[in-house]
Amino acid sequence: MNAIGLSQVTVSLGGGAVVRDVGVVVEQGEWVALIGPNGAGKTTLLRAIAGLVRHDGEVSLLGRPAASLDRRQRARAVAVVPQTPETPPWLTVAEYVLMGRTPHLGPLARESAGDRDAAARALELLELQPLADRALGTLSGGERQRAVVARAIAQEASIVLLDEPTAALDIGHQQRSLELLDGLRDHEGLTLVAAMHDLTLAAQYADRVLLMSGGRIVADGAPAEVLTEETLAEHYGATVRVVTVDERLAVLPTRR
Amino acid sequence: MEAAAAPARAIRVRGVTPGWAAAALAFLGAALVTGVVAGPVDIGVGDVLRSLGDKLGVPGVTSPLDATQESILWDLRVPRVLLAALVGGMLAVAGATYQGVFSNPLADPYLLGVAAGAGLGATLAIAYLPHALAGRQVLPFAAFAGAAVAVALAYGIGRAAGRERDSATLVLAGVTVASFFTALQTFVQQQNTDTLQEVTSWILGSLPNTGWSDVAVLAPYVLGATAVIVALRRTVDVLSLGDLEAASLGVDVRRTRLALVVAATVGTAAAVAVSGLIAFVGIIVPHAIRLVVGTSYRGLLPLSFVCGAGFLILADVVARTALAPAEVPIGVITALFGAPFFALVLRARGSRA
């Protein structure tokens, strides 16, 4: 079954089209890196998939038209890890992760034992139990990022959209964070779509790379097919060397 | 997967812990007793309790108070204390709600123009209605109507202007409407200098000695609004993550916010209509609780109501006894005592963090 199906998806913000006529199918269990220069429309496309912006065209999730899902059903199918998540400093990690259960609850409902178990499990998967009662305001950037991912895991949505999940992390935390996501993908059967700026990390972790430019998908394929020196020069205006290290690609910026 | 077998550690959510609930209720209880006992006519705690027992028909208990004392206790002090509790609780819980709903720690219940609208309504009533009418009978309705018009206007402008950044636009619309209404209010006030003092004293806030009638009018609004807010308290925490994240968790942000804003605003407008503009309660009480207890909105909202009620009862005690028989406007007291207290809490918290 397809996890995500997009057909002629167009999003207009402030009069201009930010995402134009995007048609893509993502299989269940795929890890897709969404790359592209600043302003290419990556964040907006992720929001369209999650139903957070008005869009034209059709979005289907897990084989069902998204238009037929209500908000909570949609949020049970798709979890979002935003680029700069709001993390109120007074909330504890446990309380924050438990909020991932919101789409499973009515507006007046309280969390059941099952909801608490789901949150406890997410804490465990991200090795956050020792921090469960710590306030978010006291965490380091890497710990906070893990808490945000844990919230998405507690949501128990099989599609997870991540907007620059590693932007705020150092190189070690970037790798650990992506390894963790890769492990969760296998373990939980997740479909991951991640907007990424770091092309080497995209090449190393993703099965498939979508290159967006000017609101359109201009290249789609395995990392080696999309990440070529010519394509990156054309769409990023960048001079790079694409090299192979230990059978995986690395993209190196070079000086003209 | 041994891990999945036993959720190694239970998820703990700090709603209202029994300890803090007891502390808050004890504070409210102490405030109630202080409020009933304080005043120029000496009525002791024991006499109050025995009079209460008599009223409730507890066998073998008769009130030791004479008719005047009974009247002072039950027709003046008790309703006034309850009025203070309702107004203080409402302002505090509405302030906390606004702070969560707008993800803005500085939001207070007057944010969307309630104060300016009520001020204009009250000023118009005082300035243009015959004096007999403009008294305590019509004034609350004029203030309530002004508040409702101002917030409805702010909401309309905010909705028309804002699609993407809903809450920020709404706050800006509120600020716009508030300044416009304040300007109108000032203009009317300047045209009618003979009623200047009356308007000023209303704006500074004071609790009326109107017996049970205001309590009866205000209670349904305050209790209804608070019930709605407390029922939605878990969602307020989700809204504090901002519009987009709350929406990505399946929350209907607009409708939930509208329900919360309407509840907080209607309750605040009703409170303002009987008490005038009492500054600072809506900001200081929730923040003091958060600094001391450090809780999520789920705990903060009910605690704010209880502590706000206690705080305003005590402020009213100071307002009516400090310069007795004259009364200091209660809004002056809340700011005068509230600000230094808040500074102390901030300082204590700062040195601990």
Side-chain angles (χ1 to χ4, degrees), chain A residues 47 52 72 75 82 85-86 88 90-91 95 98-99 102-103 105-107 109-111 116 123-124 129 133 151 155 187, chain B residues 1 3 7-9 11 13-14 231 233-235 237-238 240-241 244-245 247-252 295-298:
Chain A
R47 285 182 184 168
L52 302 176
R72 279 167 52 207
E86 196 72 42
W90 54 80
L91 287 177
E95 288 168 341
L98 196 57
M99 280 192 196
T102 303
L105 298 162
R110 308 294 303 275
E111 299 89 351
R116 280 159 201 271
L123 285 176
E124 207 166 86
Q129 300 115 308
D133 294 331
R151 191 190 81 192
Q155 204 168 331
H187 191 263
Chain B
M1 279 300 298
R9 180 161 184 164
I11 293 284
V13 177
R14 302 156 305 162
R233 64 193 185 279
R234 194 185 59 79
T235 315
D237 271 315
V238 182
S240 75
L241 301 180
L244 271 177
E245 284 188 68
S248 81
L249 288 168
V251 173
D252 188 338
T295 184
S296 57
Y297 281 101
R298 150 192 323 235

Tab-separated table of all heavy atoms in Angstrom, chain A residues 47 52 72 75 82 85-86 88 90-91 95 98-99 102-103 105-107 109-111 116 123-124 129 133 151 155 187, chain B residues 1 3 7-9 11 13-14 231 233-235 237-238 240-241 244-245 247-252 295-298:
chain	number	residue	atom	x	y	z
A	47	ARG	N	3.724	20.446	5.046
A	47	ARG	CA	2.486	20.912	5.694
A	47	ARG	C	1.259	20.495	4.896
A	47	ARG	O	0.212	20.187	5.475
A	47	ARG	CB	2.513	22.430	5.853
A	47	ARG	CG	3.443	22.856	6.964
A	47	ARG	CD	3.435	24.348	7.163
A	47	ARG	NE	4.430	24.694	8.176
A	47	ARG	CZ	4.832	25.925	8.427
A	47	ARG	NH1	4.319	26.936	7.747
A	47	ARG	NH2	5.726	26.151	9.359
A	52	LEU	N	-1.961	20.916	7.023
A	52	LEU	CA	-1.828	22.137	7.824
A	52	LEU	C	-1.919	23.399	6.972
A	52	LEU	O	-1.916	24.502	7.508
A	52	LEU	CB	-0.494	22.121	8.589
A	52	LEU	CG	-0.310	20.918	9.519
A	52	LEU	CD1	1.067	20.940	10.160
A	52	LEU	CD2	-1.386	20.906	10.594
A	72	ARG	N	-8.531	14.515	13.447
A	72	ARG	CA	-7.907	13.564	14.367
A	72	ARG	C	-7.498	12.299	13.644
A	72	ARG	O	-6.437	11.737	13.925
A	72	ARG	CB	-8.843	13.284	15.539
A	72	ARG	CG	-8.752	14.394	16.587
A	72	ARG	CD	-9.865	14.330	17.600
A	72	ARG	NE	-9.973	13.017	18.196
A	72	ARG	CZ	-11.109	12.522	18.694
A	72	ARG	NH1	-12.196	13.240	18.617
A	72	ARG	NH2	-11.111	11.351	19.249
A	75	ALA	N	-4.306	13.084	11.953
A	75	ALA	CA	-3.188	13.155	12.900
A	75	ALA	C	-2.820	11.775	13.446
A	75	ALA	O	-1.727	11.587	13.970
A	75	ALA	CB	-3.527	14.106	14.049
A	82	PRO	N	8.354	19.411	13.695
A	82	PRO	CA	8.642	20.683	13.037
A	82	PRO	C	10.095	21.107	13.184
A	82	PRO	O	10.830	20.573	14.020
A	82	PRO	CB	7.718	21.674	13.729
A	82	PRO	CG	7.228	21.010	14.949
A	82	PRO	CD	7.573	19.569	14.912
A	85	PRO	N	10.321	23.389	16.931
A	85	PRO	CA	9.152	23.076	17.744
A	85	PRO	C	9.065	23.994	18.952
A	85	PRO	O	10.076	24.454	19.476
A	85	PRO	CB	9.392	21.629	18.174
A	85	PRO	CG	10.847	21.402	18.014
A	85	PRO	CD	11.353	22.352	16.987
A	86	GLU	N	7.835	24.252	19.360
A	86	GLU	CA	7.591	25.035	20.574
A	86	GLU	C	7.721	24.072	21.743
A	86	GLU	O	7.014	23.062	21.797
A	86	GLU	CB	6.178	25.601	20.492
A	86	GLU	CG	5.871	26.727	21.433
A	86	GLU	CD	6.556	28.012	21.034
A	86	GLU	OE1	6.579	28.333	19.837
A	86	GLU	OE2	7.078	28.675	21.937
A	88	PRO	N	7.409	24.429	25.563
A	88	PRO	CA	7.192	25.246	26.766
A	88	PRO	C	8.107	24.777	27.898
A	88	PRO	O	8.071	23.587	28.253
A	88	PRO	CB	5.720	25.008	27.097
A	88	PRO	CG	5.091	24.589	25.812
A	88	PRO	CD	6.152	23.836	25.072
A	90	TRP	N	8.194	24.850	31.019
A	90	TRP	CA	7.708	24.313	32.297
A	90	TRP	C	7.181	22.887	32.176
A	90	TRP	O	6.949	22.234	33.174
A	90	TRP	CB	6.611	25.216	32.862
A	90	TRP	CG	5.506	25.460	31.894
A	90	TRP	CD1	4.471	24.628	31.618
A	90	TRP	CD2	5.343	26.587	31.047
A	90	TRP	NE1	3.679	25.176	30.646
A	90	TRP	CE2	4.179	26.373	30.281
A	90	TRP	CE3	6.074	27.773	30.870
A	90	TRP	CZ2	3.730	27.298	29.338
A	90	TRP	CZ3	5.614	28.679	29.932
A	90	TRP	CH2	4.461	28.438	29.186
A	91	LEU	N	6.948	22.414	30.957
A	91	LEU	CA	6.430	21.055	30.811
A	91	LEU	C	7.528	20.045	31.066
A	91	LEU	O	8.679	20.261	30.699
A	91	LEU	CB	5.894	20.844	29.396
A	91	LEU	CG	4.585	21.518	29.034
A	91	LEU	CD1	4.269	21.249	27.564
A	91	LEU	CD2	3.458	21.010	29.906
A	95	GLU	N	5.158	14.814	30.251
A	95	GLU	CA	3.937	15.528	29.896
A	95	GLU	C	3.934	15.892	28.417
A	95	GLU	O	2.912	15.787	27.728
A	95	GLU	CB	3.810	16.805	30.731
A	95	GLU	CG	3.460	16.541	32.181
A	95	GLU	CD	3.629	17.779	33.066
A	95	GLU	OE1	4.346	18.726	32.668
A	95	GLU	OE2	3.054	17.791	34.151
A	98	LEU	N	3.399	12.819	26.263
A	98	LEU	CA	2.006	12.380	26.393
A	98	LEU	C	1.072	13.192	25.490
A	98	LEU	O	0.014	12.720	25.079
A	98	LEU	CB	1.571	12.477	27.854
A	98	LEU	CG	0.311	11.725	28.276
A	98	LEU	CD1	0.413	10.247	27.961
A	98	LEU	CD2	0.051	11.934	29.759
A	99	MET	N	1.463	14.434	25.176
A	99	MET	CA	0.640	15.241	24.268
A	99	MET	C	0.529	14.612	22.890
A	99	MET	O	-0.406	14.913	22.138
A	99	MET	CB	1.250	16.624	24.103
A	99	MET	CG	0.943	17.531	25.219
A	99	MET	SD	1.429	19.165	24.690
A	99	MET	CE	1.449	19.932	26.254
A	102	THR	N	-2.817	13.227	21.847
A	102	THR	CA	-3.976	14.102	21.626
A	102	THR	C	-4.919	13.607	20.526
A	102	THR	O	-6.134	13.586	20.730
A	102	THR	CB	-3.496	15.536	21.331
A	102	THR	OG1	-2.680	15.957	22.423
A	102	THR	CG2	-4.661	16.496	21.180
A	103	PRO	N	-4.404	13.184	19.338
A	103	PRO	CA	-5.362	12.747	18.304
A	103	PRO	C	-6.140	11.494	18.674
A	103	PRO	O	-7.124	11.169	18.023
A	103	PRO	CB	-4.485	12.502	17.078
A	103	PRO	CG	-3.097	12.477	17.554
A	103	PRO	CD	-3.037	13.242	18.829
A	105	LEU	N	-7.578	11.218	21.568
A	105	LEU	CA	-8.467	11.631	22.660
A	105	LEU	C	-9.451	12.679	22.166
A	105	LEU	O	-9.119	13.502	21.324
A	105	LEU	CB	-7.644	12.263	23.788
A	105	LEU	CG	-6.607	11.384	24.470
A	105	LEU	CD1	-5.612	12.244	25.226
A	105	LEU	CD2	-7.304	10.441	25.420
A	106	GLY	N	-10.651	12.677	22.695
A	106	GLY	CA	-11.585	13.759	22.432
A	106	GLY	C	-11.135	15.004	23.186
A	106	GLY	O	-10.280	14.921	24.066
A	107	PRO	N	-11.728	16.181	22.855
A	107	PRO	CA	-11.278	17.423	23.499
A	107	PRO	C	-11.441	17.412	25.017
A	107	PRO	O	-10.715	18.089	25.732
A	107	PRO	CB	-12.153	18.498	22.866
A	107	PRO	CG	-13.089	17.829	21.929
A	107	PRO	CD	-12.747	16.383	21.832
A	109	ALA	N	-11.500	14.493	26.871
A	109	ALA	CA	-11.097	13.214	27.466
A	109	ALA	C	-9.786	13.341	28.248
A	109	ALA	O	-9.016	14.271	28.057
A	109	ALA	CB	-10.931	12.179	26.362
A	110	ARG	N	-9.584	12.404	29.138
A	110	ARG	CA	-8.316	12.302	29.857
A	110	ARG	C	-7.584	11.078	29.344
A	110	ARG	O	-8.198	10.152	28.829
A	110	ARG	CB	-8.567	12.148	31.353
A	110	ARG	CG	-9.487	13.187	31.946
A	110	ARG	CD	-8.869	14.557	31.895
A	110	ARG	NE	-7.581	14.593	32.571
A	110	ARG	CZ	-7.458	14.784	33.873
A	110	ARG	NH1	-8.511	14.938	34.622
A	110	ARG	NH2	-6.261	14.824	34.430
A	111	GLU	N	-6.264	11.047	29.518
A	111	GLU	CA	-5.494	9.931	28.995
A	111	GLU	C	-5.802	8.652	29.768
A	111	GLU	O	-5.903	8.665	30.991
A	111	GLU	CB	-3.992	10.219	29.087
A	111	GLU	CG	-3.532	11.422	28.298
A	111	GLU	CD	-3.594	12.697	29.107
A	111	GLU	OE1	-4.156	12.668	30.223
A	111	GLU	OE2	-3.071	13.721	28.621
A	116	ARG	N	-0.940	6.238	28.465
A	116	ARG	CA	0.276	6.373	29.264
A	116	ARG	C	1.320	5.345	28.864
A	116	ARG	O	2.527	5.637	28.816
A	116	ARG	CB	-0.040	6.222	30.751
A	116	ARG	CG	-0.595	7.488	31.338
A	116	ARG	CD	-1.371	7.235	32.616
A	116	ARG	NE	-2.249	8.358	32.841
A	116	ARG	CZ	-1.894	9.442	33.527
A	116	ARG	NH1	-0.713	9.510	34.079
A	116	ARG	NH2	-2.724	10.448	33.664
A	123	LEU	N	9.116	7.002	25.323
A	123	LEU	CA	10.239	7.477	26.143
A	123	LEU	C	11.350	6.447	26.139
A	123	LEU	O	12.539	6.770	26.061
A	123	LEU	CB	9.782	7.721	27.585
A	123	LEU	CG	8.960	8.963	27.861
A	123	LEU	CD1	8.526	8.984	29.313
A	123	LEU	CD2	9.767	10.210	27.540
A	124	GLU	N	10.929	5.186	26.227
A	124	GLU	CA	11.900	4.111	26.293
A	124	GLU	C	12.681	3.986	24.980
A	124	GLU	O	13.899	3.869	24.980
A	124	GLU	CB	11.135	2.826	26.554
A	124	GLU	CG	11.907	1.783	27.259
A	124	GLU	CD	10.912	0.743	27.739
A	124	GLU	OE1	10.598	-0.167	26.957
A	124	GLU	OE2	10.440	0.883	28.872
A	129	GLN	N	13.780	7.808	29.493
A	129	GLN	CA	13.181	7.595	30.823
A	129	GLN	C	13.925	8.334	31.930
A	129	GLN	O	13.280	8.879	32.817
A	129	GLN	CB	13.125	6.115	31.214
A	129	GLN	CG	12.337	5.252	30.311
A	129	GLN	CD	13.257	4.270	29.646
A	129	GLN	OE1	14.270	4.682	29.080
A	129	GLN	NE2	12.937	2.996	29.722
A	133	ASP	N	10.933	13.195	34.138
A	133	ASP	CA	10.360	14.223	35.004
A	133	ASP	C	11.112	15.552	34.947
A	133	ASP	O	10.844	16.453	35.733
A	133	ASP	CB	10.283	13.714	36.448
A	133	ASP	CG	9.285	12.556	36.572
A	133	ASP	OD1	8.330	12.527	35.774
A	133	ASP	OD2	9.483	11.685	37.428
A	151	ARG	N	7.515	12.456	21.091
A	151	ARG	CA	6.116	12.866	21.001
A	151	ARG	C	5.487	12.326	19.721
A	151	ARG	O	4.361	11.828	19.715
A	151	ARG	CB	6.017	14.393	21.024
A	151	ARG	CG	4.617	14.903	21.204
A	151	ARG	CD	4.512	16.390	20.989
A	151	ARG	NE	4.433	16.696	19.566
A	151	ARG	CZ	4.554	17.916	19.069
A	151	ARG	NH1	4.793	18.949	19.856
A	151	ARG	NH2	4.457	18.120	17.765
A	155	GLN	N	2.479	9.373	19.190
A	155	GLN	CA	1.300	9.625	18.368
A	155	GLN	C	0.873	8.359	17.623
A	155	GLN	O	-0.261	8.255	17.184
A	155	GLN	CB	1.640	10.761	17.388
A	155	GLN	CG	0.462	11.539	16.879
A	155	GLN	CD	0.919	12.814	16.155
A	155	GLN	OE1	1.976	13.374	16.465
A	155	GLN	NE2	0.141	13.269	15.195
A	187	HIS	N	11.955	-0.786	13.240
A	187	HIS	CA	11.307	-1.359	14.401
A	187	HIS	C	9.804	-1.102	14.397
A	187	HIS	O	8.997	-1.960	14.740
A	187	HIS	CB	11.953	-0.739	15.640
A	187	HIS	CG	11.585	-1.408	16.911
A	187	HIS	ND1	10.583	-0.925	17.718
A	187	HIS	CD2	12.063	-2.505	17.529
A	187	HIS	CE1	10.465	-1.698	18.770
A	187	HIS	NE2	11.346	-2.669	18.684
B	1	MET	N	12.242	-8.395	23.214
B	1	MET	CA	11.703	-7.109	23.644
B	1	MET	C	11.199	-7.161	25.077
B	1	MET	O	9.998	-7.110	25.346
B	1	MET	CB	10.568	-6.689	22.703
B	1	MET	CG	11.015	-6.055	21.398
B	1	MET	SD	11.986	-4.564	21.638
B	1	MET	CE	10.786	-3.524	22.459
B	3	ALA	N	11.645	-4.953	27.064
B	3	ALA	CA	11.271	-3.576	27.389
B	3	ALA	C	9.769	-3.350	27.282
B	3	ALA	O	9.164	-2.749	28.152
B	3	ALA	CB	12.005	-2.618	26.465
B	7	PRO	N	6.154	-1.517	31.091
B	7	PRO	CA	6.485	-0.102	30.973
B	7	PRO	C	7.291	0.294	32.206
B	7	PRO	O	6.747	0.426	33.308
B	7	PRO	CB	5.123	0.588	30.938
B	7	PRO	CG	4.132	-0.496	30.621
B	7	PRO	CD	4.729	-1.778	31.104
B	8	ALA	N	8.601	0.398	31.997
B	8	ALA	CA	9.527	0.472	33.117
B	8	ALA	C	9.145	1.570	34.097
B	8	ALA	O	9.300	1.419	35.296
B	8	ALA	CB	10.933	0.725	32.582
B	9	ARG	N	8.587	2.643	33.563
B	9	ARG	CA	8.350	3.755	34.456
B	9	ARG	C	7.021	4.399	34.113
B	9	ARG	O	6.751	4.687	32.966
B	9	ARG	CB	9.477	4.752	34.243
B	9	ARG	CG	9.368	5.945	35.106
B	9	ARG	CD	10.707	6.599	35.157
B	9	ARG	NE	10.657	7.704	36.069
B	9	ARG	CZ	11.718	8.282	36.546
B	9	ARG	NH1	12.908	7.844	36.196
B	9	ARG	NH2	11.621	9.310	37.357
B	11	ILE	N	4.144	7.021	33.576
B	11	ILE	CA	4.147	8.411	33.139
B	11	ILE	C	3.465	9.249	34.215
B	11	ILE	O	2.325	9.002	34.583
B	11	ILE	CB	3.375	8.543	31.816
B	11	ILE	CG1	4.122	7.840	30.706
B	11	ILE	CG2	3.104	9.978	31.489
B	11	ILE	CD1	5.304	8.596	30.210
B	13	VAL	N	2.041	12.820	35.346
B	13	VAL	CA	1.609	14.127	34.877
B	13	VAL	C	1.228	14.937	36.094
B	13	VAL	O	0.470	14.466	36.942
B	13	VAL	CB	0.403	13.997	33.929
B	13	VAL	CG1	-0.078	15.355	33.498
B	13	VAL	CG2	0.767	13.162	32.740
B	14	ARG	N	1.811	16.134	36.184
B	14	ARG	CA	1.457	16.947	37.324
B	14	ARG	C	0.180	17.708	36.999
B	14	ARG	O	0.225	18.768	36.424
B	14	ARG	CB	2.564	17.951	37.636
B	14	ARG	CG	3.909	17.328	37.919
B	14	ARG	CD	4.995	18.330	37.634
B	14	ARG	NE	4.892	18.832	36.270
B	14	ARG	CZ	5.464	19.927	35.846
B	14	ARG	NH1	6.156	20.675	36.641
B	14	ARG	NH2	5.340	20.296	34.591
B	231	ALA	N	-12.660	22.253	31.937
B	231	ALA	CA	-12.934	21.031	31.175
B	231	ALA	C	-11.976	20.903	29.994
B	231	ALA	O	-11.585	19.808	29.607
B	231	ALA	CB	-14.381	21.032	30.681
B	233	ARG	N	-8.861	21.952	29.909
B	233	ARG	CA	-7.528	22.336	30.351
B	233	ARG	C	-6.410	21.555	29.674
B	233	ARG	O	-5.332	22.084	29.440
B	233	ARG	CB	-7.403	22.260	31.870
B	233	ARG	CG	-7.544	20.861	32.469
B	233	ARG	CD	-7.719	21.003	33.988
B	233	ARG	NE	-7.751	19.720	34.671
B	233	ARG	CZ	-8.832	18.941	34.742
B	233	ARG	NH1	-9.938	19.299	34.135
B	233	ARG	NH2	-8.782	17.806	35.404
B	234	ARG	N	-6.653	20.286	29.337
B	234	ARG	CA	-5.597	19.521	28.674
B	234	ARG	C	-5.306	20.115	27.292
B	234	ARG	O	-4.159	20.199	26.865
B	234	ARG	CB	-6.002	18.061	28.526
B	234	ARG	CG	-4.864	17.142	28.167
B	234	ARG	CD	-5.351	15.721	27.919
B	234	ARG	NE	-6.339	15.690	26.844
B	234	ARG	CZ	-6.015	15.735	25.557
B	234	ARG	NH1	-4.761	15.783	25.187
B	234	ARG	NH2	-6.950	15.739	24.639
B	235	THR	N	-6.364	20.557	26.608
B	235	THR	CA	-6.190	21.140	25.281
B	235	THR	C	-5.455	22.480	25.348
B	235	THR	O	-4.772	22.856	24.394
B	235	THR	CB	-7.564	21.313	24.605
B	235	THR	OG1	-8.319	20.112	24.816
B	235	THR	CG2	-7.421	21.530	23.123
B	237	ASP	N	-2.910	23.140	27.145
B	237	ASP	CA	-1.492	22.786	27.056
B	237	ASP	C	-1.089	22.524	25.606
B	237	ASP	O	-0.018	22.933	25.164
B	237	ASP	CB	-1.201	21.533	27.894
B	237	ASP	CG	-0.840	21.888	29.325
B	237	ASP	OD1	-0.029	22.814	29.515
B	237	ASP	OD2	-1.376	21.252	30.248
B	238	VAL	N	-1.962	21.852	24.863
B	238	VAL	CA	-1.638	21.570	23.461
B	238	VAL	C	-1.605	22.876	22.661
B	238	VAL	O	-0.710	23.094	21.839
B	238	VAL	CB	-2.646	20.579	22.855
B	238	VAL	CG1	-2.278	20.254	21.415
B	238	VAL	CG2	-2.688	19.286	23.666
B	240	SER	N	-0.741	25.666	23.693
B	240	SER	CA	0.445	26.446	24.044
B	240	SER	C	1.647	26.031	23.191
B	240	SER	O	2.689	26.670	23.234
B	240	SER	CB	0.766	26.330	25.541
B	240	SER	OG	1.331	25.071	25.831
B	241	LEU	N	1.500	24.970	22.396
B	241	LEU	CA	2.552	24.616	21.445
B	241	LEU	C	2.465	25.448	20.171
B	241	LEU	O	3.284	25.291	19.270
B	241	LEU	CB	2.461	23.132	21.063
B	241	LEU	CG	2.579	22.116	22.185
B	241	LEU	CD1	2.460	20.706	21.631
B	241	LEU	CD2	3.911	22.272	22.905
B	244	LEU	N	0.167	25.715	14.621
B	244	LEU	CA	0.475	24.658	13.664
B	244	LEU	C	0.674	23.323	14.353
B	244	LEU	O	0.192	22.290	13.901
B	244	LEU	CB	1.746	25.010	12.886
B	244	LEU	CG	1.545	25.817	11.612
B	244	LEU	CD1	2.887	26.149	10.995
B	244	LEU	CD2	0.686	25.040	10.619
B	245	GLU	N	1.418	23.326	15.450
B	245	GLU	CA	1.668	22.058	16.138
B	245	GLU	C	0.396	21.501	16.751
B	245	GLU	O	0.174	20.290	16.717
B	245	GLU	CB	2.757	22.240	17.195
B	245	GLU	CG	4.128	22.312	16.567
B	245	GLU	CD	5.211	22.292	17.608
B	245	GLU	OE1	5.390	21.253	18.255
B	245	GLU	OE2	5.864	23.331	17.791
B	247	ALA	N	-2.553	21.944	15.566
B	247	ALA	CA	-3.320	21.400	14.440
B	247	ALA	C	-2.742	20.058	13.996
B	247	ALA	O	-3.481	19.139	13.662
B	247	ALA	CB	-3.318	22.394	13.272
B	248	SER	N	-1.409	19.932	14.040
B	248	SER	CA	-0.811	18.669	13.607
B	248	SER	C	-1.101	17.554	14.604
B	248	SER	O	-0.910	16.386	14.306
B	248	SER	CB	0.695	18.830	13.393
B	248	SER	OG	1.384	18.759	14.618
B	249	LEU	N	-1.577	17.900	15.793
B	249	LEU	CA	-1.991	16.885	16.765
B	249	LEU	C	-3.506	16.655	16.703
B	249	LEU	O	-4.083	16.026	17.591
B	249	LEU	CB	-1.574	17.298	18.173
B	249	LEU	CG	-0.059	17.203	18.438
B	249	LEU	CD1	0.301	17.891	19.743
B	249	LEU	CD2	0.391	15.755	18.472
B	250	GLY	N	-4.132	17.187	15.658
B	250	GLY	CA	-5.544	16.891	15.445
B	250	GLY	C	-6.501	17.806	16.189
B	250	GLY	O	-7.686	17.521	16.280
B	251	VAL	N	-5.996	18.914	16.747
B	251	VAL	CA	-6.878	19.838	17.473
B	251	VAL	C	-7.494	20.827	16.486
B	251	VAL	O	-6.796	21.354	15.613
B	251	VAL	CB	-6.079	20.605	18.547
B	251	VAL	CG1	-6.923	21.694	19.187
B	251	VAL	CG2	-5.571	19.650	19.602
B	252	ASP	N	-8.780	21.063	16.599
B	252	ASP	CA	-9.414	22.113	15.817
B	252	ASP	C	-9.092	23.436	16.513
B	252	ASP	O	-9.787	23.879	17.426
B	252	ASP	CB	-10.923	21.878	15.758
B	252	ASP	CG	-11.607	22.841	14.804
B	252	ASP	OD1	-11.034	23.911	14.524
B	252	ASP	OD2	-12.706	22.523	14.336
B	295	THR	N	3.874	24.234	37.080
B	295	THR	CA	2.996	23.218	36.542
B	295	THR	C	2.551	23.530	35.119
B	295	THR	O	2.725	24.620	34.612
B	295	THR	CB	1.770	23.063	37.456
B	295	THR	OG1	0.983	22.018	36.958
B	295	THR	CG2	0.956	24.333	37.487
B	296	SER	N	1.956	22.523	34.478
B	296	SER	CA	1.363	22.693	33.161
B	296	SER	C	0.007	23.370	33.320
B	296	SER	O	-0.498	23.520	34.433
B	296	SER	CB	1.195	21.334	32.508
B	296	SER	OG	0.411	20.517	33.346
B	297	TYR	N	-0.609	23.759	32.192
B	297	TYR	CA	-1.907	24.425	32.265
B	297	TYR	C	-2.961	23.549	32.916
B	297	TYR	O	-3.880	24.022	33.554
B	297	TYR	CB	-2.367	24.839	30.866
B	297	TYR	CG	-1.675	26.088	30.422
B	297	TYR	CD1	-0.608	26.030	29.542
B	297	TYR	CD2	-2.046	27.319	30.924
B	297	TYR	CE1	0.066	27.175	29.168
B	297	TYR	CE2	-1.383	28.479	30.562
B	297	TYR	CZ	-0.333	28.390	29.678
B	297	TYR	OH	0.333	29.526	29.330
B	298	ARG	N	-2.792	22.259	32.746
B	298	ARG	CA	-3.762	21.339	33.312
B	298	ARG	C	-3.860	21.512	34.828
B	298	ARG	O	-4.940	21.417	35.400
B	298	ARG	CB	-3.329	19.934	32.908
B	298	ARG	CG	-3.653	18.857	33.815
B	298	ARG	CD	-2.948	17.552	33.476
B	298	ARG	NE	-2.770	17.207	32.083
B	298	ARG	CZ	-3.184	16.048	31.548
B	298	ARG	NH1	-3.838	15.210	32.266
B	298	ARG	NH2	-2.916	15.764	30.315
